[in-house]
Amino acid sequence: MAGQSRKWMILVATIWIQAFTGTNFDFSEYSSAMKSALNISQVQLNYLATANDMGKVFGWSSGLALMYLPLTLVLFIAASMGLIGYGLQWLLINDIISLPYFLVFLLCLLSGCSICWFNTVCFVLCIRNFPVNRPLALSLTVSFNGVSAALYTLAANSINPSSDAIYLLLNALVPLLTSLAALAPILRQPPLDSLSPEAARKNSVIFLILNFLAIFTGIYLLLFASSTSDESSARLYFGGAIFLLICPLCIPGIIYARDWFHHAIHSSFQVESSGFILVHVDDLELHKELITRQNSSLSLSNGDGHSLLSENGSIYGSQRAKSSDVCCDSMLGQDQLVMLGEEHTAAVLVTRLDFWLYYVAYFCGGTIGLVYSNNLGQIAQSLGLSSKTSTLVTLYSSFSFFGRLLSAAPDYIRKKFYFARTAWLTIALVPTPIAFILLAASDSAVALHIGTALIGLSSGFIFAAAVAVTSELFGPNSVSVNHNILITNIPIGSLLYGFLAAVVYEANANSSPGNLMSDSLVCMGRQCYFWTFVLWGCLSVLGLASSLLLFLRTKHAYDHFERHRISAQTIVS
């Protein structure tokens, strides 16, 4: 019983860490102040935003550190990186110290790296303590990373609403304090025990309750995070947000009460399968075994040592070729995955068409959303809505949070409605081009708010679903390496998309009167981001098309998996 209780306390601690370490999402709150303090151009400011995202390139370093260092030490190394990176930037923006631009760039890089280290710690905690319900644990905890900006907005408003520099101070101190609060449950991790199927299903119900609580938390923050600049009201609302984050601590008490009830009073209730995991780990292993046996019986020999459908040796491809256009069939059938969960090494991964379709979908979807959030400060300023920056950041943060929570929907509704996860990914990408079309068509405050909400919802879903998609398509045991390869698109996209936005911004600022003699140009008007929105919208359509093609290529693998799962359950029953 104590072990079960400690396990849920670790989940709560992981939620806290994720909720307060998404410090890159509030960059737009202080970006204008940073630009003025350093007297830099928009292009140079974009490089600082890119440095924040480039920390993901060094995500592998956290995994390497965990091989030789205790998990708690890795946690506090991450906190120390943020303390140094954001702390020195706070001193700079308050004119306490003076730093060259290149050193500020390195500080932003260090701060971004700390976020990746925090994420790795959280992933390890979820995987170790919830091996059966791993998708539900990951989707829930990762979701709270998206609400960080809203929490920091409330905290900043409760201290000093007029200060932009306060965000840097909070970014430096709060993750360290959160790490200290999470230390006790992490040090008291329970031993690894195998759960019975019935216990796993009951845990799934608890995850469902926690998701409803998370939705309520997101709605609360959406309504109150930026609704007031009054310090006393902000403190009251911030206290309410902290209370909602503490509420999941009731779970250990529920576990104790439930275990006592089942031991003291005999229960005759039978709990049927909940179907809460879209692709269950045990089902995946059984599916792989069945596919291997089937391939052996059919004597399929592709010659590459991997269970893939090639254009020369697959039954699926040859059947389709008889009735489909040759060019279309070549694209859909070439190197097609025959099963989910097949392990791919990094060398094999980068040779697969499915991976590059997935890479482009992420690059032209979620990454554009992240770059958009980095530019929210300048976008609002250019439209004369500087006072609405906090509201926009909170809106993006809250809807990113809802998008992350929605990424768990396929797991919960599998029994009622089964759909390949790559199809859900395609659906999630649809709001992004719609949002950019709306932003390009209108410069009104309403269009800006709606577009920001849609982009946040879409990118949040992609960020949270990516780990599960990578695991299912390219193997659960290789996910740590393969996912880090996938997210290299984030710093690349941050650099390219941000540079594009900065060039368009400065081109229009140069043509504005009063800016000719200024080093730190400020662009005002709809034209500052019009062509940026048009180009980003076109690229997001490319991402949607890539995701659709990925779905068509992987649909049969998901369908094959589901048929095997149903047949296996029928045999067992």
Side-chain angles (χ1 to χ4, degrees):
M1 287 189 290
Q4 284 290 302
S5 176
R6 291 203 300 268
K7 181 177 72 173
W8 289 104
M9 289 189 70
I10 288 172
L11 182 74
V12 176
T14 306
I15 288 174
W16 292 348
I17 294 171
Q18 288 282 13
F20 289 105
T21 57
T23 48
N24 58 326
F25 290 110
D26 62 13
F27 177 79
S28 57
E29 291 280 11
Y30 59 85
S31 59
S32 296
M34 180 68 74
K35 182 180 178 181
S36 299
L38 291 172
N39 195 26
I40 56 177
S41 67
Q42 186 68 20
V43 173
Q44 289 174 305
L45 182 66
N46 168 67
Y47 291 148
L48 296 184
T50 300
N52 268 321
D53 297 327
M54 276 183 66
K56 295 176 175 61
V57 173
F58 303 99
W60 56 268
S61 60
S62 56
L64 185 64
L66 282 171
M67 295 174 62
Y68 302 101
L69 301 175
L71 187 141
T72 50
L73 182 56
V74 173
L75 177 66
F76 280 98
I77 290 174
S80 300
M81 289 180 183
L83 180 64
I84 296 170
Y86 288 115
L88 291 178
Q89 290 181 69
W90 177 75
L91 294 175
L92 168 70
I93 208 171
N94 281 286
D95 295 324
I96 299 174
I97 61 173
S98 178
L99 296 172
Y101 174 80
F102 179 70
L103 186 55
V104 177
F105 180 89
L106 293 179
L107 291 175
C108 290
L109 185 64
L110 184 65
S111 304
C113 192
S114 72
I115 299 170
C116 199
W117 279 51
F118 277 123
N119 288 340
T120 300
V121 169
C122 292
F123 291 161
V124 170
L125 287 172
C126 288
I127 291 170
R128 282 183 183 175
N129 293 280
F130 297 92
V132 176
N133 297 108
R134 179 176 59 190
L136 300 181
L138 286 173
S139 64
L140 176 66
T141 54
V142 169
S143 298
F144 278 89
N145 193 248
V147 83
S148 295
L151 288 170
Y152 277 100
T153 298
L154 265 181
N157 288 339
S158 65
I159 299 172
N160 187 358
S162 62
S163 173
D164 294 330
I166 192 67
Y167 286 93
L168 286 166
L169 183 62
L170 291 171
N171 288 352
L173 296 178
V174 173
L176 177 61
L177 297 176
T178 305
S179 300
L180 289 170
L183 183 61
I186 292 175
L187 288 174
R188 299 182 69 246
Q189 287 189 71
L192 298 178
D193 294 325
S194 59
L195 287 179
S196 65
E198 182 180 0
R201 287 191 290 270
K202 290 179 179 177
N203 285 350
S204 297
V205 176
I206 296 176
F207 274 111
L208 184 61
I209 296 171
L210 286 174
N211 272 276
F212 279 118
L213 180 60
I215 292 171
F216 183 78
T217 303
I219 294 173
Y220 176 89
L221 290 171
L222 177 64
L223 293 176
F224 301 117
S226 60
S227 60
T228 178
S229 58
D230 178 67
E231 292 183 32
S232 58
S233 299
R235 287 169 188 164
L236 179 64
Y237 294 144
F238 184 63
I242 296 299
F243 173 77
L244 290 174
L245 290 175
I246 294 175
C247 277
L249 279 176
C250 298
I251 292 297
I254 295 173
I255 296 297
Y256 275 121
R258 189 192 69 183
D259 289 343
W260 174 85
F261 179 81
H262 281 287
H263 280 86
I265 303 173
H266 176 72
S267 176
S268 60
F269 291 106
Q270 296 292 327
V271 181
E272 296 182 357
S273 175
S274 63
F276 274 4
I277 305 294
L278 182 69
V279 177
H280 197 285
V281 176
D282 294 336
D283 291 338
L284 190 59
E285 292 301 321
L286 177 61
H287 170 66
K288 288 158 70 175
E289 182 180 352
L290 289 171
I291 288 289
T292 303
R293 291 178 181 176
Q294 185 182 43
N295 287 347
S296 299
S297 65
L298 292 173
S299 300
L300 294 177
S301 57
N302 293 337
D304 59 357
H306 295 274
S307 296
L308 296 160
L309 292 177
S310 69
E311 63 270 29
N312 296 324
S314 83
I315 292 178
Y316 182 81
S318 61
Q319 288 175 341
R320 287 180 58 88
K322 297 176 182 177
S323 57
S324 302
D325 180 78
V326 175
C327 180
C328 180
D329 183 66
S330 176
M331 176 60 74
L332 293 179
Q334 183 181 8
D335 259 3
Q336 207 169 3
L337 291 169
V338 72
M339 73 164 78
L340 298 182
E342 179 72 15
E343 298 297 337
H344 288 64
T345 63
V348 174
L349 182 77
V350 297
T351 66
R352 298 303 176 202
L353 177 60
D354 289 318
F355 170 73
W356 290 111
L357 290 172
Y358 182 30
Y359 194 94
V360 171
Y362 198 119
F363 181 73
C364 296
T367 300
I368 287 183
L370 181 60
V371 178
Y372 173 82
S373 71
N374 288 340
N375 283 269
L376 266 176
Q378 277 66 50
I379 292 172
Q381 184 185 49
S382 68
L383 296 176
L385 299 171
S386 295
S387 61
K388 299 292 185 181
T389 300
S390 294
T391 302
L392 291 169
V393 171
T394 300
L395 191 66
Y396 177 89
S397 175
S398 298
F399 274 86
S400 175
F401 176 64
F402 292 137
R404 291 166 190 253
L405 285 177
L406 280 174
S407 69
D411 297 304
Y412 285 108
I413 65 174
R414 185 192 71 178
K415 194 173 181 181
K416 299 287 186 182
F417 180 70
Y418 179 80
F419 215 28
R421 203 183 296 272
T422 47
W424 289 105
L425 189 71
T426 302
I427 295 171
L429 284 167
V430 172
T432 301
I434 295 175
F436 284 123
I437 291 172
L438 180 63
L439 290 169
S442 174
D443 60 350
S444 67
V446 174
L448 184 59
H449 283 75
I450 294 174
T452 300
L454 289 175
I455 294 170
L457 187 71
S458 176
S459 58
F461 188 105
I462 295 163
F463 293 148
V467 177
V469 174
T470 305
S471 174
E472 291 166 11
L473 295 184
F474 309 114
N477 297 329
S478 309
V479 68
S480 58
V481 175
N482 293 343
H483 189 66
N484 276 320
I485 294 174
L486 172 72
I487 62 175
T488 56
N489 80 84
I490 294 179
I492 296 172
S494 181
L495 176 62
L496 295 178
Y497 298 145
F499 182 77
L500 169 67
V503 168
V504 173
Y505 180 95
E506 293 203 335
N508 287 282
N510 279 321
S511 61
S512 301
N515 276 332
L516 297 177
M517 301 302 294
S518 175
D519 292 327
S520 182
L521 298 175
V522 176
C523 181
M524 298 298 294
R526 179 185 179 187
Q527 75 280 0
C528 300
Y529 280 92
F530 174 76
W531 285 110
T532 300
F533 292 150
V534 171
L535 291 171
W536 283 356
C538 293
L539 288 168
S540 64
V541 171
L542 175 62
L544 178 61
S546 181
S547 179
L548 178 61
L549 190 56
L550 177 67
F551 161 62
L552 295 175
R553 285 176 53 83
T554 57
K555 180 179 182 296
H556 80 281
Y558 277 95
D559 292 343
H560 207 183
F561 168 82
E562 183 67 3
R563 286 195 299 270
H564 280 173
R565 185 189 65 82
I566 293 173
S567 62
Q569 287 184 349
T570 303
I571 293 172
V572 172
S573 60

